[in-house]
Amino acid sequence: MLARNDSLVTEFILAGLTDCPELQQPLFYLFLMIYVVTVVGNLGLILLIGLNSHLHIPMYYFLFNLSFTDLCYSSVFTPKMLMNFVFRENTISYVGCMTQLFFFLFFVISECYMLTSMAYDRYVAICNPLLYKVSMSHQVCLVLSLAAYVMGFAGASAHTGCMLRLTFCNVNVINHYLCDILPLLQLSCTSTYVNEVVVLLVVGINITVPSFTILISYIFILTSILHIKSSQGRSKAFSTCSSHMIALSLFFGSAAFMYLKYSSPGSMEQGKISSVFYTNVVPMLNPLIYSLRNKDVKIALRRSVFEIQRRNMF
């Protein structure tokens, strides 16, 4: 807490998702369950892909990285979020807040471009199957994944660097369950003009470029699917694409609403609810959408379970 009105902030207080006492315990168990499912699902998928050689192909290489980013960025803020439901006052130091902001943005932005790489992989597999091995070689996959992490590092560095130049005084209560860009800007007692420009530029690029690339990829994919003569084949392909588009819409839609729509304290509550989708729900759903409905993953899971049972028997 602050000692006097003109002192600088050395720690922040995270207000959390809601201040209703009767909702604290139910929300704690709800988000704890979501986090457990997220960790088990993504960590299980990482181990499954790593241990099964027949899954060492581009599609699952990107899925491996997607699960890694989901696991990491949900772990960056969820422990603190759960503490909000248990303790009356959940504090975080200035350094801790800036660190959380950096790693959260790093993994979220990286996920944007990892999803883009996955869409491009599906585009090549469906629209140019004869050139798939050449177009999606190990080197290409490595470059695409590294580029995703580089973009994540660049975006996180830009936002965090601009945030470090601000001065925070008097008010230190962050109206959110994590240290995020816009709630922090509302606490600054110095000009945030540069930060707002950076938000529009960086967030705009990191949402519109991946979204546009994914949209174009799926337009070509759907066009190719319509040329499939088998109705069963078309139905299966449409089912897969619709699942992917639901996950993508949840992630990019909620992120766009959070960062590009609201700018006033009165709309902060809507922003917090929106952010729950891409910070909590999407990391939990991704293993289900991208893998558990996948035949190859189911076969790999059965083999792994059978191998564990066989070892225990002997």
Side-chain angles (χ1 to χ4, degrees):
M1 296 292 292
L2 298 177
R4 30 184 246 276
N5 290 337
D6 61 343
S7 61
L8 299 180
V9 169
T10 58
E11 66 178 16
F12 295 99
I13 298 173
L14 294 170
L17 190 61
T18 179
D19 56 358
C20 296
E22 61 273 14
L23 294 178
Q24 301 301 316
Q25 188 173 358
L27 287 175
F28 172 80
Y29 289 114
L30 173 63
F31 284 100
L32 178 62
M33 182 184 67
I34 291 174
Y35 183 59
V36 169
V37 173
T38 300
V39 171
V40 172
N42 286 289
L43 187 59
L45 195 55
I46 289 171
L47 294 173
L48 197 64
I49 295 173
L51 295 174
N52 288 270
S53 57
H54 74 282
L55 295 180
H56 294 174
I57 58 176
M59 175 182 174
Y60 297 106
Y61 173 78
F62 292 121
L63 187 56
F64 179 96
N65 282 277
L66 182 69
S67 295
F68 173 74
T69 55
D70 278 337
L71 179 64
C72 288
Y73 89 70
S74 61
S75 298
V76 165
F77 69 89
T78 304
K80 269 290 182 185
M81 181 183 187
L82 293 174
M83 288 174 64
N84 272 116
F85 301 122
V86 178
F87 300 105
R88 292 185 63 183
E89 191 173 277
N90 186 16
T91 61
I92 184 171
S93 67
Y94 176 84
V95 174
C97 186
M98 294 301 117
T99 303
Q100 185 188 70
L101 175 69
F102 175 83
F103 282 105
F104 174 71
L105 293 173
F106 170 69
F107 289 115
V108 168
I109 296 172
S110 297
E111 173 145 339
C112 290
Y113 290 95
M114 206 62 69
L115 289 168
T116 307
S117 299
M118 292 177 71
Y120 176 72
D121 171 70
R122 291 299 84 203
Y123 158 74
V124 176
I126 295 175
C127 300
N128 297 289
L130 298 178
L131 299 175
Y132 183 72
K133 288 187 177 181
V134 177
S135 300
M136 298 303 298
S137 64
H138 176 73
Q139 291 79 5
V140 172
C141 292
L142 183 62
V143 168
L144 288 174
S145 60
L146 285 177
Y149 291 120
V150 168
M151 291 299 293
F153 180 81
S157 298
H159 286 302
T160 309
C162 288
M163 196 66 67
L164 290 171
R165 60 180 286 277
L166 298 179
T167 302
F168 299 93
C169 48
N170 299 326
V171 181
N172 66 338
V173 179
I174 300 174
N175 188 18
H176 212 298
Y177 52 82
L178 58 87
C179 292
D180 206 354
I181 301 169
L182 298 180
L184 280 169
L185 292 184
Q186 293 183 349
L187 301 184
S188 175
C189 51
T190 52
S191 175
T192 60
Y193 176 76
V194 173
N195 299 70
E196 291 170 4
V197 172
V198 170
V199 168
L200 288 176
L201 290 176
V202 177
V203 174
I205 291 171
N206 291 327
I207 289 179
T208 56
V209 172
S211 299
F212 184 75
T213 305
I214 291 169
L215 179 63
I216 296 298
S217 297
Y218 273 100
I219 288 174
F220 282 112
I221 288 171
L222 292 174
T223 302
S224 298
I225 290 173
L226 291 174
H227 288 88
I228 298 175
K229 295 181 179 180
S230 169
S231 58
Q232 185 177 0
R234 284 198 304 270
S235 177
K236 183 178 179 180
F238 273 123
S239 176
T240 302
C241 288
S242 63
S243 298
H244 291 183
M245 291 305 294
I246 290 171
L248 291 168
S249 299
L250 275 174
F251 183 83
F252 286 104
S254 57
F257 181 88
M258 176 69 186
Y259 291 104
L260 299 180
K261 180 177 174 60
Y262 81 88
S263 58
S264 64
S267 56
M268 182 70 75
E269 297 303 320
Q270 291 180 334
K272 286 198 289 185
I273 300 301
S274 171
S275 64
V276 167
F277 284 96
Y278 79 91
T279 58
N280 299 89
V281 177
V282 172
M284 179 187 68
L285 292 180
N286 276 343
L288 303 174
I289 293 173
Y290 287 103
S291 62
L292 296 183
R293 296 181 61 187
N294 186 289
K295 184 179 178 181
D296 293 333
V297 173
K298 288 182 180 179
I299 293 172
L301 182 60
R302 292 194 194 100
R303 286 179 179 175
S304 298
V305 172
F306 176 76
E307 184 65 23
I308 292 172
Q309 291 176 341
R310 189 178 66 83
R311 289 180 181 179
N312 291 336
M313 290 177 62
F314 296 99

